[in-house]
């Protein structure tokens, strides 16, 4: 488990009860440490997402596994899976994030669909588009640019990959066609740097959090 980083915006994780860890595949166990930036759902939004998830599971007769309510999030930038936790990488990422200057924004997720992947259960996700995710995409671009600018040594400047903002609710082999759902909306006032160890059952460990400027939010 990583040590708590001594940086502005970094807070110690509170102990939380966890479920028994699953048994990942051997190739996954070789790189069990994941660092990523995300927007965690606020408690009220997470509660609404959980209620919506239960309705969707019943409606589509889904069987599989759910994402823990305290883990519901939208990924901004993944720093990939690694064999060991790197405090140096976490420090670099945190310093880059501290340079992001963004206003708070509203987010609206109003569609449900299945993502396809080559093997395993399919992520069952909430998505949005247009103005509903415009603020999130602006934050993603700003964070990507900050990480590119702070990367040590020479490196090529790469355009930010196109992403689909989404919140994964469930994993199931079912393929559910895209359809509208009751909108899930909240105001995003911060983003986080999270740590996850493959197979752990508890909440993500928050290594850092950065407030968005609510004074510029309209």
């Amino acid at each position: 488990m990583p040590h708590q980083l001594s940086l502005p915006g970094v807070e110690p994780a509170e102990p939380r009860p966890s479920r028994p860890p699953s048994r990942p595949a051997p190739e996954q166990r070789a790189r069990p440490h994941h660092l990523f930036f995300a927007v965690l759902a606020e408690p009220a939004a997470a509660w609404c997402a959980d209620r919506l998830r239960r309705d969707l599971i019943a409606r589509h007769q889904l069987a599989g596994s759910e994402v823990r309510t305290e883990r519901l999030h939208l990924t901004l930038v993944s720093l990939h899976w690694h064999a060991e936790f790197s405090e140096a990488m976490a420090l670099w990422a945190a310093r880059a994030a501290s340079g992001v200057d963004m206003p708070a924004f509203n987010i609206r997720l109003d569609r449900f669909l299945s993502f396809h992947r080559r093997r395993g259960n399919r992520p069952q996700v909430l998505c949005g588009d247009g103005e509903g995710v415009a603020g999130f995409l602006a934050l993603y671009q700003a964070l990507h640019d900050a990480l590119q600018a702070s990367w040590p040594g020479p490196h090529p400047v790469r355009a930010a990959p196109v992403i689909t903002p989404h919140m994964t609710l469930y994993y199931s082999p079912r393929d559910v066609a895209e359809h509208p759902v009751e909108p899930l909306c909240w105001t995003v006032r911060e983003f986080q740097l999270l740590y996850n160890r493959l197979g752990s059952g508890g909440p993500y460990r928050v290594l850092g959090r950065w407030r968005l400027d609510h004074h510029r939010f309209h």
Side-chain angles (χ1 to χ4, degrees), residues 93-143:
R95 291 191 179 106
S98 67
V100 172
D101 181 19
M102 278 281 300
F105 57 87
N106 286 334
I107 194 161
R108 174 187 171 99
L109 306 176
D110 56 11
R111 296 179 291 126
F112 182 71
L113 67 150
S114 302
F115 279 172
H116 295 275
R117 61 185 189 181
R118 284 177 291 181
R119 60 181 181 178
N121 287 336
R122 294 170 176 173
Q124 314 290 325
V125 306
L126 292 176
C127 291
D129 56 16
E131 287 300 313
V133 294
F136 180 88
L137 289 173
L139 175 58
Y140 161 67
Q141 182 68 58
L143 180 59

Side-chain angles (χ1 to χ4, degrees), residues 72-206:
L72 292 172
H73 70 279
L74 290 86
T75 298
L76 282 162
V77 176
S78 171
L79 301 178
H80 307 298
W81 293 84
H82 300 274
E84 297 180 353
F85 173 78
S86 171
E87 185 165 326
M89 176 174 287
L91 286 166
W92 159 74
R95 291 191 179 106
S98 67
V100 172
D101 181 19
M102 278 281 300
F105 57 87
N106 286 334
I107 194 161
R108 174 187 171 99
L109 306 176
D110 56 11
R111 296 179 291 126
F112 182 71
L113 67 150
S114 302
F115 279 172
H116 295 275
R117 61 185 189 181
R118 284 177 291 181
R119 60 181 181 178
N121 287 336
R122 294 170 176 173
Q124 314 290 325
V125 306
L126 292 176
C127 291
D129 56 16
E131 287 300 313
V133 294
F136 180 88
L137 289 173
L139 175 58
Y140 161 67
Q141 182 68 58
L143 180 59
H144 178 275
D145 291 348
L147 291 167
Q148 281 275 317
S150 68
W151 184 259
H155 65 282
V157 176
R158 299 185 178 90
V162 176
I163 64 168
T164 300
H166 66 277
M167 176 188 288
T168 301
L169 299 179
Y170 202 75
Y171 290 92
S172 171
R174 291 288 304 275
D175 184 11
V176 179
E178 180 179 335
H179 63 82
V181 294
E182 176 186 350
L184 177 67
C185 307
W186 78 95
T187 300
V188 176
R189 297 182 173 87
E190 68 173 32
F191 66 100
Q192 301 86 17
L193 175 61
L194 304 177
Y195 166 76
N196 180 42
R197 185 183 177 94
L198 187 67
S200 65
Y204 297 127
R205 187 182 181 102
V206 179

Side-chain angles (χ1 to χ4, degrees), residues 32-44:
H33 302 277
H34 188 206
L35 286 173
F36 62 106
F37 285 100
V39 169
L40 284 168
E42 293 186 348

Side-chain angles (χ1 to χ4, degrees), residues 21-34:
S22 58
R23 294 182 60 84
E27 64 273 16
Q28 292 176 307
R29 292 200 295 268
R31 296 192 303 272
H33 302 277
H34 188 206

